[in-house]
Amino acid sequence: MAVPKSKVTGSRRGMRRSHDALKNVNFQEDSNTGEYKLRHHIDLKSGQYRGKQILEPKGDF
């Protein structure tokens, strides 16, 4: 059975857990529709990405 050789200090434990915090989701307002979307993602309502038509535009959901 694996047993730690010595106690892990609070500082070392905190450094290990430093990447576990939840990140904020960064929404950006679309310049065409005015709705919020994720950056670097296609706007599903209009079907555009960076001003180019990528998908067929969908109606209201």
Side-chain angles (χ1 to χ4, degrees), residues 1-56:
M1 187 164 104
V3 178
K5 196 170 189 96
S6 61
K7 179 181 176 180
V8 176
T9 63
S11 174
R12 186 168 292 275
R13 183 193 65 218
M15 285 188 276
R16 183 177 66 244
R17 294 179 182 174
S18 66
H19 301 289
D20 292 346
L22 295 175
K23 309 270 189 302
N24 290 337
V25 179
N26 191 8
F27 288 110
Q28 184 177 10
E29 187 176 350
D30 188 31
S31 59
N32 295 334
T33 61
E35 295 195 12
Y36 289 101
K37 67 177 188 76
L38 289 173
R39 297 186 60 168
H40 302 100
H41 284 71
I42 297 174
D43 182 25
L44 293 177
K45 188 157 192 154
S46 65
Q48 291 187 349
Y49 179 70
R50 297 182 65 187
K52 295 181 182 176
Q53 192 68 32
I54 304 295
L55 299 173
E56 294 290 326

